[in-house]
Amino acid sequence: MKGMTLIVKTITDFVVGFIVVFGAYIVLYGHLTPGGGFAGGVIIACAFILLMLAHGKDVAYSKLSEKAAHVLDSAGALAFLLIGWFGVTAGFFFMNTFGRGEAFRLLSSGMILPLNIAIAFKVGSSLFLVFSALAVFRRRSFRAMIEDELA
Amino acid sequence: MENITPQLYALLVFMIVGSIVAIETRNLLSAVISVAAVGFALSVAFLFLGAPDIAITQLVVEVLVLIILIRGTILLDNTAVESHRDTLAVVTSLIFFGLLLGFGAMIFGGRGFPEFGEPLMRVSRVYVHTGLPATYCANIVSSVILDFRAYDTMGEATVLFTSILGALALLRKDGKRKEEEVVAA
């Protein structure tokens, strides 16, 4: 049986959805309450890492494959840059040209909400990638690597 | 500020003791746990200082780093560090300890520390006063890092992106070159 015991798996199945929802809340309300793209992205990454620890890599990769994580990582970085360049159309780089809206509402403060979402995608998928790189990829000793390079 | 200072001092002493344990212990797993305890105490200290944003980020990152470090530590066969420390390291740490004592004497003997948050600088005063009317963003931290200083945040995102790229390139299963060789053979 892959992964941990049945108890851990059951609790993980029960909890993972709530963790993702909480992370999404932290991201989407980052301009109103404490939190933001970085913290929310790490919380969402923790949900997938919990899946990988409890169920093994196959279940975690079926929810978020390595390829998809790569794409989301790069897409988040590109979206951040594109939102920055959007400001150039009105003035300068990272000018806040989106509609400001009304303060203390969800749709307010212009580009801060989209930037938070872009950072969340970037940070979450890249931290998931780092964990999968450390946990799943076969570890090779440096000596074997050097011998391969010399051979 | 005065009523929370004893708690802050207690947290600081706890963090210093935890760091010393993390440095001095011979077992890598114990060192990782000690570093994690220091990090959690730091997040509580941020909460006491009225910075919930930083506290949330510190807590979440601490949990993730703890998982990754324990995972990386228990994969090693041998978690004990046997190498004895050399004289150069001892001499260097003694020199830096003396420097620490010297600077402490300079600060406490002379002017003393400035009051907490006392010299509110010109730039931060502008942020605090114009944050809400300029960005309509209720969270002042978000308005600073994503509006006033979005360029800095882009640099930070680039650093993260590049480091992930390097880590994946170093840790991937086998080089692409080997796969091509296998296919050719």
Side-chain angles (χ1 to χ4, degrees), chain A residues 30-31 33-35 38-39 42-43 49 53 70 80-81 93-94 96 100-101 103-104 108-109 111-112 115-116 122-123 126-127 130-131 133-134 137-140 148, chain B residues 52-53 56-57 60-61 64 67-68 71 75-76 132 134-139 142-143 146-147 150-151 153-154 156-157 160-161 164 168 170-174 177-178:
Chain A
H31 56 299
T33 54
F38 194 91
V42 180
I43 290 173
I49 286 170
L53 283 174
H70 277 288
F80 197 95
L81 205 60
F93 199 47
F94 278 120
N96 199 342
R100 300 283 168 80
F104 299 103
S108 68
S109 71
M111 71 174 182
I112 291 180
L115 281 182
N116 261 333
K122 220 207 92 48
V123 170
S126 60
L127 288 179
V130 163
F131 182 77
L134 283 170
F137 290 179
R138 191 159 60 83
R139 294 175 64 86
R140 309 174 63 205
D148 282 355
Chain B
D53 273 274
I56 289 176
T57 308
V60 171
V61 171
L64 192 65
I67 295 171
I68 290 178
R71 186 84 194 184
L75 278 178
L76 296 174
L132 186 61
T135 64
Y136 280 39
C137 177
N139 185 357
S142 283
S143 79
L146 289 178
D147 192 301
Y151 203 75
T153 310
M154 194 193 71
E156 174 253 352
L160 187 63
F161 188 74
I164 303 299
L168 284 176
L170 283 175
L171 289 170
R172 66 186 169 184
K173 273 168 281 189
D174 288 305
R177 187 168 52 83
K178 287 199 96 175

Side-chain angles (χ1 to χ4, degrees), chain A residues 62-128:
Chain A
S62 72
K63 303 290 183 207
L64 177 67
S65 71
E66 206 193 328
K67 188 96 179 173
H70 277 288
V71 171
L72 282 180
D73 188 9
S74 312
L78 270 180
F80 197 95
L81 205 60
L82 279 180
I83 295 167
W85 274 109
F86 191 78
V88 177
T89 59
F92 51 87
F93 199 47
F94 278 120
M95 187 178 180
N96 199 342
T97 59
F98 295 172
R100 300 283 168 80
E102 191 183 344
F104 299 103
R105 292 295 174 85
L106 180 58
L107 291 176
S108 68
S109 71
M111 71 174 182
I112 291 180
L113 180 59
L115 281 182
N116 261 333
I117 295 171
I119 291 178
F121 274 115
K122 220 207 92 48
V123 170
S125 51
S126 60
L127 288 179
F128 175 72

Side-chain angles (χ1 to χ4, degrees), chain B:
Chain B
M1 217 52 232
E2 288 80 20
N3 49 355
I4 64 163
T5 313
Q7 287 94 319
L8 273 184
Y9 276 126
L11 280 172
L12 277 179
V13 169
F14 176 76
M15 282 193 277
I16 290 173
V17 171
S19 314
I20 291 174
V21 169
I23 294 172
E24 289 296 326
T25 183
R26 295 281 165 171
N27 192 338
L28 278 182
L29 198 56
S30 311
V32 168
I33 304 284
S34 307
V35 169
V38 173
F40 286 125
L42 184 61
S43 81
V44 177
F46 281 137
L47 266 186
F48 272 123
L49 290 171
D53 273 274
I54 316 287
I56 289 176
T57 308
Q58 168 73 22
L59 190 68
V60 171
V61 171
E62 194 62 43
V63 169
L64 192 65
V65 166
L66 182 63
I67 295 171
I68 290 178
L69 280 181
I70 286 182
R71 186 84 194 184
T73 312
I74 61 177
L75 278 178
L76 296 174
D77 299 329
N78 184 9
T79 56
V81 184
E82 282 115 6
S83 63
H84 63 92
R85 55 194 60 199
D86 48 353
T87 49
L88 181 66
V90 174
V91 169
T92 327
S93 39
L94 279 181
I95 288 175
F96 274 96
F97 192 64
L99 281 178
L100 177 74
L101 286 184
F103 284 129
M106 273 169 59
I107 290 170
F108 285 112
R111 315 183 295 280
F113 281 120
E115 277 297 309
F116 180 78
E118 185 52 43
L120 191 62
M121 289 171 294
R122 253 187 322 172
V123 177
S124 63
R125 184 177 294 145
V126 169
Y127 289 162
V128 168
H129 287 314
T130 66
L132 186 61
T135 64
Y136 280 39
C137 177
N139 185 357
I140 184 86
V141 179
S142 283
S143 79
V144 171
I145 66 170
L146 289 178
D147 192 301
F148 293 112
R149 298 199 166 186
Y151 203 75
D152 282 351
T153 310
M154 194 193 71
E156 174 253 352
T158 314
V159 167
L160 187 63
F161 188 74
T162 316
S163 58
I164 303 299
L165 208 67
L168 284 176
L170 283 175
L171 289 170
R172 66 186 169 184
K173 273 168 281 189
D174 288 305
K176 293 278 185 214
R177 187 168 52 83
K178 287 199 96 175
E179 285 176 16
E180 286 164 13
E181 282 172 8
V182 169
V183 170

